[in-house]
Amino acid sequence: TDCHYCLQSLRGRKYTLREEKAYCITCYDSLFANPCEECKQPIECDSKDLAYKGRHWHERCFKCAKCSRSLVEKPFAAKDEVLLCTECYSDEYSSKCFHCQKTIMPGSRKMEFKGSSWHESCFVCQYCRQPLGTKPLITKDNENYCVPCFEKQFAHHCYSCKKVITSGGVTYHDQPWHKECFVCAGCEVQLCGQRFISKDEYPYCVDCFSKFYAKKCAACKKPITALGGAKFVSFEERQWHGECFKCSRCSVSLLGQGFLTQQDDVLCHECGSA
């Protein structure tokens, strides 16, 4: 047969087939040989053509761009279209494990957490040493714990519902509470961030405490809570708001003054003498 391109006889000559057509070696290389990325010369049909992502190399040219070691049948990595052996790539670009500070080699599984990288084998619970993977975790003092181990070692239990407090919480009478469990013993309104009054170790909102326990002012009949340091006066089983403690006749304030009583009235000395 003859070469499909130059039409010269192929008898006694090497040739190759492409799409069932025969070509002499010279014509085949000139027509179809891929140019080598490294040396830019054609990769002849009797040479091994190594391809990666649409690019081609001679076997002798397929090497690390930094240390020039051959990459044939060896793991390698690509950065900005430059081929590097795994050692050179690691030195230049690979992350260091937050735990062991060793390089995380290309191709190995890497865990990312709070901006740091970890070997999968290093990303474990500090207590049980089991891999955390993508499981929920809690960090304490820069150490990571699976949720069961954290609860076992550190978590507080709510004084009210007895369940674990995972974040936030309120301390009352040296006991931990969930914010949503810390409620008024009377109306059950949440007390976190609100003013409240303790009675028999139970917290009450101001309204409920006034309703159930506060003394009533002998003058205005409203509850006396003494919140915010408000002054009040107590005399013979009766109490008054500071601003209500005044003479029943002339209404002068009796705070810090001597006074007289007449049945249910309190009187200044002047009115009492008259």
Side-chain angles (χ1 to χ4, degrees), residues 11-23:
R11 291 181 183 277
R13 300 170 61 191
K14 288 184 179 180
Y15 67 92
T16 186
L17 295 174
R18 182 182 174 88
E19 296 177 356
E20 299 184 357
K21 296 173 183 178
Y23 295 86

Side-chain angles (χ1 to χ4, degrees), residues 52 71 75-79 82-86 89 106:
Y52 175 71
L71 298 177
F76 64 90
K79 180 69 174 179
V82 174
L83 302 185
L84 299 167
C85 64
T86 54
Y89 182 89

Side-chain angles (χ1 to χ4, degrees), residues 6 38 119 131 160 224 244 263 267:
C6 69
E38 178 66 20
H119 289 113
S160 176
I224 300 173
C244 295
Q263 296 180 349
L267 305 170

Side-chain angles (χ1 to χ4, degrees), residues 68-263:
S68 299
R69 284 183 291 183
S70 174
L71 298 177
V72 177
E73 297 182 358
K74 293 180 180 178
F76 64 90
K79 180 69 174 179
D80 299 329
E81 298 189 354
V82 174
L83 302 185
L84 299 167
C85 64
T86 54
E87 291 81 1
C88 289
Y89 182 89
S90 298
D91 291 341
E92 290 288 325
Y93 305 109
S94 289
S95 304
K96 294 287 193 298
C97 175
F98 182 83
H99 177 73
C100 69
Q101 295 302 307
K102 295 181 179 179
T103 299
I104 301 175
M105 299 298 289
S108 61
R109 191 170 183 188
K110 178 175 69 172
M111 310 302 296
E112 297 280 350
F113 180 66
K114 290 188 175 180
S116 299
S117 301
W118 306 63
H119 289 113
E120 186 178 22
S121 58
C122 292
F123 194 59
V124 298
C125 171
Q126 182 67 19
Y127 185 72
C128 69
R129 311 305 299 176
Q130 293 300 308
L132 291 170
T134 57
K135 298 176 183 176
L137 62 93
I138 300 174
T139 300
K140 179 179 175 61
D141 298 331
N142 291 325
E143 300 290 357
N144 300 319
Y145 298 85
C146 63
V147 174
C149 285
F150 182 86
E151 292 180 353
K152 180 179 180 180
Q153 292 293 108
F154 306 109
H156 296 290
H157 291 76
C158 176
Y159 182 79
S160 176
C161 70
K162 310 306 179 186
K163 295 180 180 179
V164 170
I165 301 173
T166 57
S167 62
V170 177
T171 299
Y172 172 68
H173 280 261
D174 295 327
Q175 298 292 345
W177 302 61
H178 287 116
K179 289 182 179 180
E180 58 272 20
C181 293
F182 188 61
V183 298
C184 172
C187 64
E188 297 189 351
V189 67
Q190 288 192 21
L191 295 176
C192 186
Q194 307 296 322
R195 294 194 302 175
F196 65 91
I197 302 172
S198 296
K199 175 68 175 177
D200 300 329
E201 297 188 359
Y202 291 99
Y204 290 86
C205 67
V206 175
D207 290 341
C208 285
F209 182 84
S210 299
K211 177 181 178 181
F212 297 129
Y213 300 108
K215 302 291 186 180
K216 300 295 190 297
C217 175
C220 70
K221 308 306 180 185
K222 294 181 180 179
I224 300 173
T225 62
L227 284 174
K231 293 181 179 180
F232 70 97
V233 178
S234 180
F235 177 72
E236 292 184 351
E237 304 297 326
R238 291 187 292 168
Q239 289 81 29
W240 292 262
H241 293 110
E243 62 273 19
C244 295
F245 191 58
K246 49 193 176 182
C247 177
S248 301
R249 293 183 182 175
C250 69
S251 297
V252 67
S253 175
L254 297 178
L255 281 177
Q257 306 296 321
F259 63 92
L260 301 172
T261 61
Q262 187 177 61
Q263 296 180 349

